[in-house]
Structure formats: C-alpha cells, structure tokens
C-alpha cells in the first residue's frame, strides 16, 4: 500500500513500491523514480459515476499514478489534511479531494438541497474502504465532533467533509454575511445529527446562492 505523508502542510508526498494512487488531475508537482500517469474517466466508479457527474455538472477529474519512488502533490497552496479510513465511508466535496489510495473506492451520493444551493450539483463524492485520503482546505481544517447530545450546524461554504453515522438536513437561516448586509439571497445551513466528525475550513468557498 502506498504511504501518505506530509512533506509540508501544503505538499503531499506519496511513497510507492509498485502501488497506485488516484489524485486530482494536474496536482502532481514533482516525483523521483519511475512513474506512469493515466487520466481516469469520470469522478466515480464506472459508467454510473460518469453519468451522474455529467447530469449534475459537477467536475471531478482524477488521474492514476503508479510506479516506484515518491510522488509529490499540491493544489494552489491549499492546506492538506490526511484522513485514515478503516472500512468506513468519507463524504467530501469534490473540490476538496486531493488524493486517495488506489484501493479506495470513489463514487457519488445524493445530497439534496445543499448541492443545488451551491450550484455544484446534487451529489457529493464518497471515498470508501481501507487506506488513506488527502483533503484540501483553505487554511488548516478543523475537526468538529458531533454527538447525539450535540448536533452541529455548518455554513455550506466552510464544509469540507464528514465521517461517521451522521444524518444531514438542510435549513434556512441567518448567516453572518446576512447580518453584515452582504447577502443577496436565501441563506442555507447544513445540520448534522448523530455520531461522527465534520471537517470545516476557516474560509468560505465562493457560492452562487447569496448567503450560502
């Protein structure tokens, strides 16, 4: 299995001995040894993933990297966060996914209103299996715990990913930008209930839904 490690907070190093990894297309910045690169069709597994993303308009282009040596990945000086999966499933915004072990399965899942409010489709990327994934965030990601006693409400622009037995619901509400008079439309928030963790970034991505 390929070994993921942080060369710095903004550069991912992956040591490979004949292994393969999947990474965001164009994110390779350097490598040593012998590497082969292959563009993958669609963001999910197989034809279903391709069709899903074409229908929703969500863009997620991956490449496969395989070889012997070390490959380095980065994307626009974003912070990189390593997540270990042990047979569980990670839900992540496609723009925040940098790389995964080649053995991890990637796909899509329906997320309803949140995707529509952000204008990037109705589906979120899923990563499942045993291995490591590298997530991107604008600033160091913060890991917030959700328990049955303490649900969590998140601004969609700050959401990066989540894991665990969590239920999502979408509610209208007031954001800080609305209070400052910067909003132009209806505000939406994501509410998480159950038992798990949510990754958020300390900076909001651009959205097209006004206060989202």
């Amino acid at each position: 299995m390929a070994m993921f490690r942080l060369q710095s907070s903004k550069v991912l190093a992956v040591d490979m001995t004949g292994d393969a990894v999947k990474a965001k297309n164009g994110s390779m910045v350097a490598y040593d040894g012998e590497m082969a690169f292959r563009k993958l069709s669609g963001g999910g597994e197989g034809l279903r993933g391709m069709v899903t993303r074409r229908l929703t308009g969500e863009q997620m282009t991956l490449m496969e990297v395989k070889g012997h040596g070390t490959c380095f990945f980065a994307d626009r000086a974003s912070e990189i966060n390593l997540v270990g999966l042990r047979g569980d499933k990670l839900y992540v915004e496609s723009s925040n996914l940098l790389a995964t072990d080649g053995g991890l399965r990637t796909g899509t899942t329906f997320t309803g209103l949140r995707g529509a409010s952000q204008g990037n489709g109705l589906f979120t990327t899923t990563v499942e299996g045993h291995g490591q994934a590298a997530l991107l965030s604008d600033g160091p990601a913060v890991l917030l715990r959700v328990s049955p006693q303490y649900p969590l409400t998140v601004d969609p622009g700050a959401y990066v990913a989540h894991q665990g037995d969590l239920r999502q619901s979408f509610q209208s509400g007031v954001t800080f930008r609305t209070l400052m008079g910067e909003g132009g439309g209806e505000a939406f928030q994501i509410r998480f209930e159950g038992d798990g963790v949510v990754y958020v970034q300390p900076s909001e991505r651009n959205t097209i839904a006004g206060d989202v």
Side-chain angles (χ1 to χ4, degrees):
M1 181 179 293
M3 186 178 77
F4 284 42
R5 56 185 173 86
L6 293 181
Q7 186 74 12
S8 73
S9 66
K10 299 180 180 181
V11 178
L12 171 69
V14 182
D15 301 316
M16 289 179 276
T17 55
D19 315 283
V21 299
K22 289 180 284 189
K24 193 172 187 177
N25 198 41
S27 63
M28 187 279 293
V29 295
Y31 69 88
D32 60 42
E34 297 293 331
M35 299 287 168
F37 300 86
R38 180 171 66 94
K39 184 176 180 180
L40 299 177
S41 299
E45 295 290 343
L47 181 62
R48 184 175 180 273
M50 294 174 62
V51 172
T52 295
R53 296 198 177 275
R54 286 176 180 172
L55 287 176
T56 62
E58 185 176 356
Q59 298 299 315
M60 180 190 168
T61 306
L62 296 176
M63 62 180 178
E64 181 186 72
V65 184
K66 186 175 183 178
H68 293 78
T70 301
C71 198
F72 301 90
F73 302 93
D75 186 63
R76 301 179 184 180
S78 297
E79 297 284 334
I80 300 173
N81 313 269
L82 297 182
V83 178
L85 282 80
R86 298 175 178 82
D88 52 330
K89 183 180 291 187
L90 173 73
Y91 299 82
V92 56
E93 287 294 332
S94 61
S95 61
N96 292 99
L97 182 61
L98 176 63
T100 71
D101 277 325
L104 290 174
R105 299 182 299 278
T106 56
T108 56
T109 187
F110 183 70
T111 58
L113 182 59
R114 178 175 58 81
S117 68
Q118 285 187 251
N120 62 354
L122 297 177
F123 290 77
T124 288
T125 297
T126 59
V127 182
E128 187 175 9
H130 291 81
Q132 286 186 294
L135 308 184
L136 298 166
S137 60
D138 188 0
V142 179
L143 187 63
L144 301 177
R145 183 74 192 180
V146 182
S147 68
Q149 296 81 16
Y150 296 99
L152 181 71
T153 301
V154 177
D155 187 302
Y159 169 80
V160 173
H162 72 272
Q163 282 177 290
D165 184 16
L166 294 177
R167 301 180 302 279
Q168 284 178 284
S169 59
F170 310 98
Q171 58 189 27
S172 59
V174 177
T175 67
F176 288 114
R177 277 186 286 173
T178 304
L179 296 175
M180 293 188 301
E182 296 180 1
E186 186 178 4
F188 293 91
Q189 299 170 336
I190 315 171
R191 181 179 174 86
F192 292 94
E193 297 177 277
D195 187 13
V197 293
V198 179
Y199 298 82
V200 299
Q201 59 187 9
S203 176
E204 296 181 2
R205 67 176 64 84
N206 292 327
T207 62
I208 63 171
D211 300 342
V212 175

